[in-house]
Amino acid sequence: MIRIFKNNIKKIIFLGFSLLFLVLALCVNWNDANFFNIIYLPLKSIGDYIRSLGNTVGGWLLYIFLGILPLAFPIYKIIRTRKIYIFGIAWITLCVFDYVMLYFYINPHLLGSVIVSGTDKLNEIALIGFEVTFFILLFICALIEVCLSMKYRHEKYYFLAEIIIDILIFIIIFNVCFTTVLNAKSQIADINTAHLSEINFNKGLNVFAVVFSLLIKCVPPAVTVFLLFKCCDFIDKLKNNAFSPKNIGYLKEITRFAKLTVLITLTATAVNNIFNITLSKWILNANYSFEVPIVLLLTVCLVVIFSEILIGAIKISEEQKLVI
């Protein structure tokens, strides 16, 4: 039992994130889950809370704590190495920008001195711009750290590959368990509050249509996550022996599953559209799928290309061993 837990700890952690995002989606009262609301509303809530505390010690301590968070990593590195960390300048820049961003989230009315008109909509757009810029700077700082850590330790490329896959899995889980569920919740709320006199309108059927479309839309992300987990397992095998002949069978298995993933995705999309077309006469909002699964397609293409290259390299390696 303990061994199974250790071997699947990453999957258990992602399962925990899935449940967390699902609970959040069911609890929050956002009207929609577009990209801008997702990045704007959490910080807006924090800014509103700090502003509600007023000019108190608690408000100032919370503001100082949130602003200094970007310095956690360089401080840890300085303590561990006991040396001056010159690239900490990048993190200090991020920290200063974080304080400025939080200040305007706490006092959005002061944006009127920066934006000429100072309307609420433009203030909101400006705050979103601050937050997007913050994440870009954070990504640059993280990229610098990754490049520095990999400069003399090439085995960390495997670690970087696993991190990239983990980020993709996290994004997919967040999009499905939070964004998609929140949108479905909003649609069900619209159905329950609708007052239509048409005889064809049936609330129960409409709710069923939304839930069915939600479940169908969860299929492609689920198989994509499963494919990414298989890629993570294969990276662990590469760490031991990248050119082992045993890897050929595993690579072919991943390639077959990658192609099957595309087929499942296209089938799920077709089923969802056919279902909504069939019930379009009786449902309030048809949930057609026209989205192109870019992450899935890129993942499948990379998996197939990498698999073929590595299979060829393994065969060449085995031929060279025979010649020797």
Side-chain angles (χ1 to χ4, degrees):
M1 185 69 182
I2 297 175
R3 186 178 178 181
I4 294 173
F5 178 79
K6 288 181 178 180
N7 293 337
N8 296 279
I9 187 167
K10 184 183 290 186
K11 296 176 183 178
I12 294 171
I13 290 172
F14 279 118
L15 178 62
F17 274 118
S18 302
L19 296 175
L20 175 63
F21 291 141
L22 184 61
V23 171
L24 286 175
L26 296 174
C27 292
V28 297
N29 294 318
W30 298 351
N31 292 326
D32 63 276
N34 59 51
F35 172 76
F36 297 107
N37 273 344
I38 289 171
I39 66 172
Y40 170 69
L41 290 177
L43 259 185
K44 179 181 180 296
S45 301
I46 293 173
D48 292 342
Y49 177 70
I50 295 176
R51 187 169 62 254
S52 68
L53 294 176
N55 195 22
T56 61
V57 176
W60 278 104
L61 287 177
L62 185 57
Y63 174 62
I64 292 170
F65 172 76
L66 293 175
I68 207 172
L69 277 178
L71 293 181
F73 179 79
I75 290 173
Y76 162 76
K77 199 157 189 176
I78 291 171
I79 293 173
R80 192 186 67 175
T81 60
R82 296 180 182 179
K83 295 179 181 178
I84 296 175
Y85 184 53
I86 189 170
F87 289 100
I89 296 172
W91 292 99
I92 292 173
T93 304
L94 181 65
C95 180
V96 172
F97 188 86
D98 188 21
Y99 273 120
V100 173
M101 178 184 68
L102 286 172
Y103 181 78
F104 281 119
Y105 265 97
I106 297 168
N107 305 287
H109 58 281
L110 296 180
L111 282 169
S113 60
V114 180
I115 302 172
V116 177
S117 64
T119 61
D120 291 339
K121 189 64 179 177
L122 286 177
N123 287 347
E124 181 179 321
I125 294 172
L127 290 173
I128 292 172
F130 270 112
E131 194 166 353
V132 171
T133 306
F134 172 80
F135 283 118
I136 292 173
L137 292 174
L138 178 61
F139 175 77
I140 292 172
C141 290
L143 188 62
I144 291 172
E145 296 298 334
V146 170
C147 293
L148 289 173
S149 65
M150 294 172 58
K151 189 174 181 180
Y152 302 108
R153 300 178 65 180
H154 299 291
E155 67 275 8
K156 284 199 171 183
Y157 281 104
Y158 293 117
F159 175 72
L160 177 61
E162 290 181 340
I163 290 296
I164 293 172
I165 292 174
D166 289 343
I167 291 173
L168 287 175
I169 293 173
F170 184 84
I171 292 172
I172 292 171
I173 288 174
F174 178 81
N175 185 53
V176 173
C177 296
F178 185 78
T179 308
T180 306
V181 172
L182 195 59
N183 285 331
K185 178 184 170 185
S186 177
Q187 291 178 11
I188 293 174
D190 292 340
I191 291 169
N192 290 328
T193 56
H195 298 284
L196 299 178
S197 58
E198 286 85 350
I199 192 170
N200 291 330
F201 179 73
N202 184 290
K203 288 187 178 181
L205 181 62
N206 276 265
V207 171
F208 170 75
V210 171
V211 174
F212 181 83
S213 294
L214 172 65
L215 295 175
I216 290 295
K217 288 178 180 179
C218 288
V219 172
V223 293
T224 304
V225 168
F226 190 74
L227 174 62
L228 291 172
F229 275 132
K230 291 181 80 68
C231 292
C232 278
D233 293 338
F234 180 67
I235 290 173
D236 289 334
K237 294 180 183 296
L238 287 179
K239 292 178 184 177
N240 300 324
N241 187 358
F243 295 99
S244 172
K246 295 179 180 179
N247 289 339
I248 293 178
Y250 201 80
L251 283 167
K252 289 182 178 179
E253 179 186 344
I254 292 177
T255 303
R256 286 194 297 268
F257 185 80
K259 295 175 181 178
L260 179 63
T261 300
V262 176
L263 179 62
I264 292 173
T265 300
L266 295 176
T267 303
T269 303
V271 169
N272 180 62
N273 289 338
I274 291 171
F275 174 79
N276 281 275
I277 290 171
T278 305
L279 298 180
S280 59
K281 185 178 179 181
W282 298 281
I283 57 179
L284 188 61
N285 294 311
N287 290 289
Y288 298 113
S289 296
F290 299 105
E291 300 175 358
V292 179
I294 299 296
V295 174
L296 172 61
L297 293 178
L298 287 175
T299 301
V300 170
C301 289
L302 289 174
V303 165
V304 173
I305 293 171
F306 176 77
S307 298
E308 293 300 325
I309 292 173
L310 191 54
I311 288 173
I314 292 172
K315 289 180 179 178
I316 292 172
S317 176
E318 290 300 305
E319 290 174 359
Q320 289 178 343
K321 289 179 181 178
L322 291 174
V323 171
I324 295 172

